[in-house]
Amino acid sequence: MKHSRGDEELARAAGAALRDGVRSTAAARSRIMHAVRAEPRPVRGAGPEAIPPRRDFWRSPALGLLAAASIAAFAALVHARRVEGPIAQVPGQPAPIQPARTRAVAATAPAAVPGTIAVTRVQFVYVAPRAKQVSVVGDFNDWDPGATPLEVHGGVWSRELEVAAGRHDYAFVIDGTRWVADPSAPRAPADEFGGEHSVIVVGGER
Amino acid sequence: MIRHASKGLAAVLALGAVKAAGAQDMRLSRQLDAATAARVSAIVDHARAVSLPTEPLIDKALEGSRKGAQPARIVEAVSALAARLDSTRAALGAASSESELVAGASVLQAGVRSGVLRDLRVARAGKSLAVPLVVLGDLVSRGVPSDTAGALVLLVAREGLGDETLLAIQRDVQRDVREGAHPAAAAAIRARGAVSGGGTRLRPVRGPVTAGASSLAPGVASHPTSTKPLITGY
């Protein structure tokens, strides 16, 4: 939007007039300050017009703990996201199918109540921008590549599963054919069937 | 009259139990051909009879099937796993959890001696060995000789360091190896650093670690930071 020279002059003149309007003399300023000092000072908690007493939010232990827990949880979340960091490309792979992070909240899971099976929500994540399909297989889904497809958002495949407490073997299956271990998790030693897979120990281990 | 009824009920229950023991798991029937399913079921039944966990055996058969393994190989793998579970239980004790038995069977397959399992049980009496055995299996799978890996995990366990420290060592060794470190040297440095540092976490080893006495000197890679792993769980 372009302003004409006339507009600018008008604005300048208006500004000068407004500034002139708030000018005061030294005598006027002195009278004002004298009147202010003559007013009684407000006292905390004295009467309905008084300034309300300062409320110490953290004085309540419950609220303080809640706030501390929230801050800690937020910090942990930020930290968890930060440690995932940039995911490097797997050397030697033709397609940029990259290592993934599998997060398990297993370590903090409560122990199982006797007579029940403890389950924990575990998030499986694999980054494969060019994959058409990624699924997770393991002893928790009978190693069925069709049972648990991951959902993709911007090349990041993920899904949360409820996994029973204990040790579990798992792997990712890329495009229905290629079985890969989770590069960010402990690996299981090679078995009779070849291929690598990873291991997770979910809390409340049985 | 009541006595006859009780006998009859006991007979029915016994018959049911026998039938249940002999019943083939539906997952095996669906996934394997009839002959293979029957052979696997026989192994599973035997394992059940001697109180070994059966679910890992079924999982192994299903895994083989999904990976397209030949039937004979599937039966062989299930049979071998049953034997390893038995050996692991002998080493760790009858009260071992299923997770411990499976993890132990896995490291036995990787070449770890059963004596290491026994020593680990003693070193961590009353605590689960699932994580130490998983870490041990991971170290071996990354190229650390099984004897070395066993000795290092045992060293950490004897110092009373917990699962989090072991997982931190595993992650550090994984990163070191990925960056070009020699697996055995990386594992030795990380384990010794954790032990010598007490509640310290290790400073990442930069660049390749070479094997040798000097690189294994205590404190080479130790650094006083947090013992907590970077990621909770794994």
Side-chain angles (χ1 to χ4, degrees):
Chain A
M1 187 172 167
K2 248 182 165 178
H3 295 282
S4 68
R5 190 167 181 173
D7 290 341
E8 289 175 2
E9 285 175 359
L10 179 62
R12 201 175 298 122
L18 287 170
R19 280 194 295 275
D20 285 346
V22 294
R23 277 179 188 162
S24 61
T25 63
R29 285 198 296 274
S30 175
R31 280 198 303 275
I32 291 168
M33 292 312 297
H34 180 74
V36 168
R37 287 191 192 101
E39 286 290 314
R41 297 189 67 165
V43 179
R44 277 184 184 157
E49 300 296 325
I51 296 174
R54 185 170 65 93
R55 294 189 62 186
D56 192 348
F57 183 74
W58 314 112
R59 193 169 291 165
S60 161
L63 285 175
L65 284 174
L66 182 65
S70 303
I71 292 167
F74 178 74
L77 183 66
V78 170
H79 177 67
R81 291 192 180 283
R82 186 161 53 82
V83 270
E84 283 180 10
I87 297 171
Q89 184 170 341
V90 173
Q93 284 192 352
I97 293 174
Q98 298 167 339
R101 295 283 180 182
T102 300
R103 273 206 307 264
V105 287
T108 56
V113 176
T116 64
I117 296 174
V119 294
T120 300
R121 294 196 72 78
V122 178
Q123 186 181 36
F124 295 91
V125 182
Y126 197 87
V127 177
R130 291 191 184 175
K132 294 181 175 64
Q133 185 187 0
V134 177
S135 58
V136 62
V137 292
D139 52 25
F140 42 79
N141 66 2
D142 294 342
W143 298 93
D144 182 0
T148 317
L150 305 187
E151 295 162 354
V152 64
H153 297 284
V156 180
W157 301 79
S158 67
R159 181 156 174 181
E160 275 192 5
L161 296 178
E162 285 192 342
V163 179
R167 176 194 183 278
H168 300 279
D169 290 274
Y170 70 97
F172 294 107
V173 182
I174 314 299
D175 293 335
T177 55
R178 200 155 66 91
W179 293 48
V180 294
D182 184 342
S184 65
R187 276 201 310 229
D191 67 3
E192 298 89 345
F193 303 129
E196 293 175 343
H197 42 85
S198 306
V199 185
I200 183 174
V201 178
V202 176
E205 178 265 324
R206 287 180 298 159
Chain B
M1 177 79 179
I2 293 174
R3 197 166 61 186
H4 286 303
S6 299
K7 279 184 179 175
L9 181 62
V12 169
L13 288 176
L15 187 63
V18 170
K19 199 169 181 180
Q24 200 170 87
D25 190 288
M26 289 296 290
R27 292 169 293 174
L28 295 177
S29 314
R30 278 198 302 265
Q31 199 58 34
L32 304 172
D33 64 75
T36 308
R39 293 176 69 188
V40 170
S41 288
I43 300 170
V44 169
D45 288 345
H46 176 72
R48 185 182 294 114
V50 296
S51 301
L52 281 174
T54 56
E55 198 61 24
L57 302 174
I58 295 169
D59 286 333
K60 178 59 71 180
L62 295 175
E63 179 195 349
S65 171
R66 299 290 186 187
K67 287 181 173 176
Q70 294 296 314
R73 192 151 183 77
I74 291 173
V75 173
E76 186 184 330
V78 173
S79 177
L81 176 58
R84 287 196 303 272
L85 287 171
D86 195 34
S87 300
T88 304
R89 186 173 60 178
L92 295 183
S96 304
S97 69
E98 181 177 313
S99 293
E100 289 176 323
L101 293 182
V102 175
S106 180
V107 299
L108 286 184
Q109 186 182 22
V112 174
R113 290 176 295 107
S114 60
V116 173
L117 302 188
R118 272 192 290 273
D119 292 344
L120 270 174
R121 174 58 85 206
V122 172
R124 283 182 52 121
K127 294 179 182 171
S128 171
L129 290 182
V131 170
L133 292 173
V134 165
V135 171
L136 177 52
D138 175 85
L139 295 178
V140 174
S141 76
R142 293 185 193 282
V144 181
S146 56
D147 283 348
T148 304
L152 293 174
V153 171
L154 199 50
L155 173 71
V156 173
R158 280 176 174 154
E159 289 295 320
L161 301 177
D163 289 350
E164 289 191 347
T165 302
L166 279 164
L167 290 170
I169 291 170
Q170 181 272 323
R171 276 191 295 275
D172 287 339
V173 171
Q174 178 180 348
R175 186 172 56 242
D176 294 342
V177 172
R178 192 172 56 226
E179 291 176 358
H182 187 283
I189 288 173
R190 295 300 183 179
R192 282 170 177 260
V195 168
S196 64
T200 66
R201 193 179 164 275
L202 305 171
R203 181 171 51 195
V205 174
R206 298 295 175 200
V209 176
T210 52
S214 61
S215 67
L216 303 184
V220 166
S222 66
H223 189 259
T225 53
S226 168
T227 52
K228 291 187 176 175
L230 292 176
I231 304 170
T232 305
Y234 47 88

